[in-house]
Structure formats: structure tokens, C-alpha cells
Amino acid sequence: MAEYHVENFGCRSSRSDGEAIAAELRHRGLKPATDFAGASVVVVNTCSVTADADSGARAFIRRVHRKNPDAKIVVTGCYAQRAPEELATLSGVTSVIGNSHKSLVASIIVEPTAFVPLATVVNRVPVFVDESFAHTDLATLPFADDADQTRPNLKVQDGCANCCSFCIIPETRGPSRSITLEKALESVERFVQNGGQELVLSGINLGRWGRDLKPAKRFADLVSAILERTVLPRLRLSSIEPMDWTEDLLALFATHTSRLARHAHLPLQSGSDTILRRMYRRYRPWHYAEKLSQIRSLMPDAAIGADVMVGFPGETDALFQESYDFIAAQPLTYLHLFPFSPRLGTPAAELQRYQPVHKEVMNQRMDALRALAEGKNTAFRKSFLGRELSVVTLRGNRSATTPALSDNFIKVEVAMTYPPNRSIQVRATRLTESGLHAVPLAE
């Protein structure tokens, strides 16, 4: 029996795609390999949000070919959509499948000759890419409810039309597309029937879910339906743009306090109004602060996170300080930090030619924000010492403790062994390097 390995790079949505591809390969008779070195097929599910993401994928492909030269290397994802010819020249790559054909990855691997009419050939490698995304049907990429995960991602939306000046995603993911409410509910039901405890809703621009459906719906409609029409124990929402935190969505957190995870992630990118305008972001700092204030008021113990980009072209010391001061004043509990990376074809890449931020300066600013974030996160975790938390157990290798995640996004080491996918109550006893140590409460 052929064995496969799927290596995922990038965001939750990308990982959700990878889980679905793996499930499809199992359904078609392939067996998961222990690692890529023993696989006959290696699927490299790429990201292309930064130059580092591209180089990381290339390095992995080279490593696979060096250690497992007989493996068929199939490259898919955002990098495959953006630069298929570049990937087709790498040694060991046997096919390149863009996001436009991602739902066909398993089928192409198992029955390659059946899809020859859809491919072009580059360096003797079949390439499946359609810039119009005419072959893309989000609903055909299934939810991997049999994936070997305790908190799987259900991707309900793909694509984006925001066209931020730094972002290549509209090109690599196409326009916003949603699965139907009915398909989402079916996936949630299957997960619940399999004993699932926590499900994460994900998407490239998640808050835009439903706008393309007929009749159009709003994201709050989906969340409400899941909570009212299923018995899912816990629902967690991944990243949602600031202006998509609507009154209807916020109201659900007030009425479903035990089933909606106390966790909000709002991409910020910069706390400087000048930089936000150059980024073509659709909100101002005061809008963002207002949303955070509403969320903190509704959920005093919630984890609240943000994406922050450092070194956008033209970010002077004064503009960075403006951003730093804004972030410091917000009730954030963690940050995802990214250095600016020019993507060819975006307006920001052109700005980079004239107003670059030098790497040393960028690194200093990253360090400053990293220290700020660590301080905020430590204070947040300290506030739960001696308190009870609801956690879902994860898979782990330690014999005496069990890794878990709290509903408010704190990593917890539980001082007892449990199987994965159990919902338990614990009491936090001390800080760990990045989370909390806790003891289970009597059940």
C-alpha cells in the first residue's frame, strides 16, 4: 500500500486544506507514513505570504528529495498558485497544483492521466493552475472529521477581495467564496457524532462568510446556527477582521458564554493611522480600539490577539512609536509579529523601492514588540493562578502530564494523564514558560 505525507505551511485555512487532502488520500486507499522519509508521495502544502514562507517551502522540498529521492513530490497551496513555474524547476517535484485545483489534489495523485487536459507542462512537470479560479469549488474540499487532531479546523470560507497594499492573497486564493450553511452544519454534526469537543471555524477572510451566497447571509448567522442547531460543546473562531465584529456577533458571546471560546483575534497590522492608510486597511486605530473595548467588556477573561506587521515601507521611528504606544494601551494578551516582506505585483512592493526600512531597524522593532507582547501575556496568565479553567486535552508524549488548551487560549499542562479530546476542569497552580501548570478538579 502506498504511503503519503502531507506537510502544511502557513495559516489555519491552509492546515485545514492539508487535513482534508490527507483524509481524501486515506479514503482512496493510501496509508499515512511515519514521516516524509518513508513516504512514496509527499504533498507540500505551501504558503506565500512572505519571502521566508517561500524559501521555507523550497528548503523542505530540497530536503525531501535529498533524503527520499524516490518520492513523488506534489506541491500545492499559495506558492504553487503564485509561482508554479518556479516550483516546477525544483528537483523531485512531479506536479504543481495551485489553489485553483486544490480540491483535486488527491484525485490527481491517484489518477494522474485522467486530469491531463487540465494541465500545462513546465520542465516536464504537469502544472494545474487557473488564475480565474474557474475550477474552484470550495465545497468540494471536504472537512477532515477523521483527521488525527483534537481541535480540527472547519474551513467555511476562502479567498479575499480586500486588496490590502501588501497582500498577495487575492491573487493566490481568488475571490471570497463560502460553503453553504447546510454543509457547515453537516460537518459540525459529523464532528460531534465522532465525539469532538472543540471545533475551530476558519477562513481566509472569515467574517465575510455568506456574503456570496444566494440569498446572502452574515457570519453571525452561521455562528448562531451552529450553537442553536447542534450540540457542539465548544466553538472557537479564528481570525476575524476588526470591522466584521458586528453587534450581532458580539451578542452571541454574551448569550453563549459556555460554548463560545473566550478568544478573539483581530488583525491590526499597525497602530499608526498613517501606515494603516498606506496599507489600504479599512479601519482606523480608534475603530480597532472601540472593538477591543467592546470585546473586553463582554469577556473580561478573554484572550485577545492581533497580527502586527513591522517595517512597512515608510515606517519612520515616529510612526513605529505611534504604533507601539497604541498596542501598549490595548487589552491584548498576545501578538503575532511579522516583518514586512514585499510581494511582487503589490503596491507595497513598489513603495519598498523608495522607502525601505532597513533590516537592522526592523529587527530592533520586532524585539521591542516581542518584549511588549511577552509582558502582556505573562500578566494575563498570572491573573489565572489559583483559578479554575475549562480545558480540552490534546495529544502528548509525556507520561506524567497532559497538554491541554483552555477556552481562553492558554496552554495548560495538566498534572495527570488523560486521553486526547477530553473536556475537563482544572485549577491553575503555577506559570510555565509559555502557559500554566494545573491540577484537575474532582469530576
Side-chain angles (χ1 to χ4, degrees), residues 256-278:
H256 295 276
T257 54
S258 64
R259 295 176 64 207
L260 263 179
R262 297 174 297 172
H263 181 194
H265 189 97
L266 294 74
L268 172 62
Q269 309 307 351
S270 176
S272 163
D273 183 74
T274 298
I275 296 297
L276 286 178
R277 291 177 187 275
R278 292 177 184 173

Side-chain angles (χ1 to χ4, degrees), residues 69-131:
D70 294 328
K72 295 180 179 179
I73 301 176
V74 178
V75 188
T76 187
C78 288
Y79 191 2
Q81 183 72 30
R82 185 186 67 81
E85 296 85 358
E86 186 176 303
L87 290 165
T89 63
L90 297 180
S91 298
V93 172
T94 56
S95 59
V96 178
I97 306 172
N99 283 328
S100 58
H101 293 69
K102 205 171 199 176
S103 62
L104 301 176
V105 168
S107 299
I108 293 171
I109 288 171
V110 175
E111 305 174 85
T113 57
F115 296 91
V116 169
L118 294 180
T120 57
V121 178
V122 178
N123 194 39
R124 298 183 181 180
V125 173
V127 170
F128 301 84
V129 170
D130 183 342
E131 293 181 0

Side-chain angles (χ1 to χ4, degrees), residues 310-360:
V310 178
F312 188 83
E315 184 186 65
T316 62
D317 288 343
L319 292 177
F320 171 74
Q321 191 63 47
E322 180 184 342
S323 182
Y324 180 96
D325 292 344
F326 177 81
I327 294 166
Q330 303 310 309
L332 294 163
T333 63
Y334 69 92
L335 299 177
H336 288 168
L337 300 173
F338 304 90
F340 171 75
S341 179
R343 301 281 75 191
L344 188 64
T346 63
E350 185 67 17
L351 289 176
Q352 175 76 351
R353 294 174 56 194
Y354 304 103
Q355 296 179 297
V357 176
H358 295 297
K359 186 174 181 179
E360 311 82 61

Side-chain angles (χ1 to χ4, degrees), residues 162-196:
N162 282 350
C163 297
C164 298
S165 67
F166 55 83
C167 189
I168 200 70
I169 293 299
E171 178 182 328
T172 61
R173 288 278 182 173
S176 181
R177 306 175 305 285
S178 311
I179 68 170
T180 65
L181 178 62
E182 291 71 24
K183 284 188 178 295
L185 291 173
E186 288 171 7
S187 295
V188 176
E189 287 287 3
R190 289 200 308 273
F191 177 68
V192 172
Q193 289 168 8
N194 287 338

